[in-house]
Amino acid sequence: MVSIEINGERFEAEAGENVILVAHAGGVHIPHLCYHPRLSVPANCRLCVSAIGGADKRRLLPVCDVKVSEGLVVDTLGEDVVRAREEALEFLLVGHALDCPVCAKAGECELQDYVFTHGREAGRYAEDAHPQDKVDLGPRISLYAERCIGCARCIRFCDEVAGSGELTRVEKGQRVRVDVFPGRELDNPLAGNVVDLCPVGALVEQDAHLDPPVWQLQGVDSVCSGCSAGCNTRVDVHREKIVRVKPRFNPDINSYWLCDEGRYGWRDVDGEQRLHQ
């Protein structure tokens, strides 16, 4: 164990552990969009920027790519840190579609939450959104590219967890977007997880709905009955009707993930052929 300092407080942690995880375990939240604890670290959204080192050695760095070491000093509250975070959010919103009321992610959008908490009161850029047509990437998932912030969580998941590797970046500049490789579809057995991973509303299920909104759903902890794995789930219910099933984190069983059979199999609950008595 080594000792580090975060915002003037001392914390004990394992050497080599990720600073974001240590901070969150100690009750210090560091905002982040591209980082995920079960994926590789690209450090491209820059939202987790914090000051590393003290006095004359102070530098602003994305801490999702900083490992714990003895004597490490981290400041997440300084004026320079706050300003850098505001600017990172401001750049992410340049050209971003501001269609929150009709976005399936409204109410649970990470970007929306961070802009409210850490963003500027008003942006300084007048650039319009970059309109792009909705694209069906597979039989269940569509892409609204004008909402994409380039976090690459979906690409890394398909490469590193699903092992299918069908997603990549295409185009350049303001037209850059996620897409499938030619002749491929986003149809691997774990494909639905990219919707959960997307911090905005860029990747959505084709049958996603806005009524009822997510803040009216009641989450019930459950276990998937699709097979013997026992994946932990959260069943979202509205007026005693199942609306969707999401994975519930369990490090020993399913981690953050859920297969598509478990995710979408709940529709049989209301099937006309099901016996009720």
Side-chain angles (χ1 to χ4, degrees):
M1 300 290 285
V2 298
S3 178
I4 68 171
E5 179 182 312
I6 303 179
N7 298 336
E9 296 185 44
R10 305 299 297 183
F11 294 88
E12 299 292 325
E14 294 285 346
E17 194 173 354
N18 190 289
V19 169
I20 281 187
L21 295 181
V22 175
H24 288 185
V28 180
H29 180 70
I30 300 176
H32 58 277
L33 288 169
C34 66
Y35 174 77
H36 190 279
R38 289 295 187 272
L39 301 175
S40 59
V41 179
N44 58 9
C45 77
R46 321 305 285 184
L47 192 56
C48 66
V49 64
S50 300
I52 304 297
D56 58 333
K57 295 183 179 180
R58 182 184 178 93
R59 294 185 299 163
L60 293 181
L61 294 172
V63 293
C64 66
D65 199 27
V66 174
K67 304 299 182 183
V68 167
S69 60
E70 180 63 44
L72 184 70
V73 177
V74 182
D75 178 12
T76 72
L77 302 175
E79 291 184 7
D80 52 347
V81 176
V82 171
R83 185 169 57 254
R85 201 167 284 154
E86 289 177 347
E87 291 171 353
L89 284 167
E90 192 173 18
F91 280 119
L92 286 174
L93 289 175
V94 174
H96 185 83
L98 301 178
D99 57 350
C100 302
V102 296
C103 177
K105 201 77 170 185
E108 53 187 4
C109 172
E110 296 177 45
L111 178 61
Q112 194 178 57
D113 292 342
Y114 286 144
V115 169
F116 179 80
T117 306
H118 301 284
R120 296 180 182 274
E121 292 184 0
R124 295 172 293 174
Y125 299 93
E127 187 171 352
D128 294 331
H130 306 144
Q132 298 194 51
D133 294 335
K134 183 189 78 169
V135 178
D136 292 338
L137 299 182
R140 289 195 176 103
I141 298 171
S142 297
L143 169 71
Y144 290 82
E146 68 270 18
R147 301 172 185 168
C148 181
I149 60 170
C151 71
R153 283 186 184 180
C154 55
I155 298 174
R156 286 177 283 143
F157 173 81
C158 289
D159 290 345
E160 300 165 14
V161 180
S164 50
E166 63 264 66
L167 291 181
T168 186
R169 281 197 180 102
V170 298
E171 302 290 353
K172 295 180 180 179
Q174 68 178 29
R175 301 294 299 179
V176 68
R177 59 182 171 83
V178 173
D179 204 348
V180 290
F181 282 102
R184 301 286 303 276
E185 281 191 321
L186 181 57
D187 59 354
N188 69 72
L190 299 171
N193 289 285
V194 301
V195 176
D196 300 335
L197 284 169
C198 184
V200 292
L203 293 172
V204 301
E205 293 165 339
Q206 291 170 6
D207 59 353
H209 54 80
L210 299 174
D211 185 25
V214 295
W215 52 86
Q216 291 184 6
L217 303 181
Q218 178 186 2
V220 180
D221 290 348
S222 185
V223 175
C224 180
S225 60
C227 72
S228 61
C231 294
N232 287 209
T233 62
R234 189 193 75 232
V235 181
D236 287 340
V237 180
H238 182 256
R239 295 180 180 175
E240 300 184 356
K241 292 286 187 180
I242 298 176
V243 175
R244 65 183 185 180
V245 173
K246 294 287 187 180
R248 181 163 53 92
F249 176 63
N250 187 319
D252 299 319
I253 300 179
N254 57 302
S255 187
Y256 292 90
W257 324 124
L258 184 65
C259 77
D260 284 5
E261 289 190 19
R263 182 184 298 271
Y264 302 115
W266 63 266
R267 290 173 173 82
D268 295 333
V269 169
D270 296 320
E272 294 181 0
Q273 303 299 319
R274 183 176 181 185
L275 294 176
H276 293 280
Q277 62 183 356

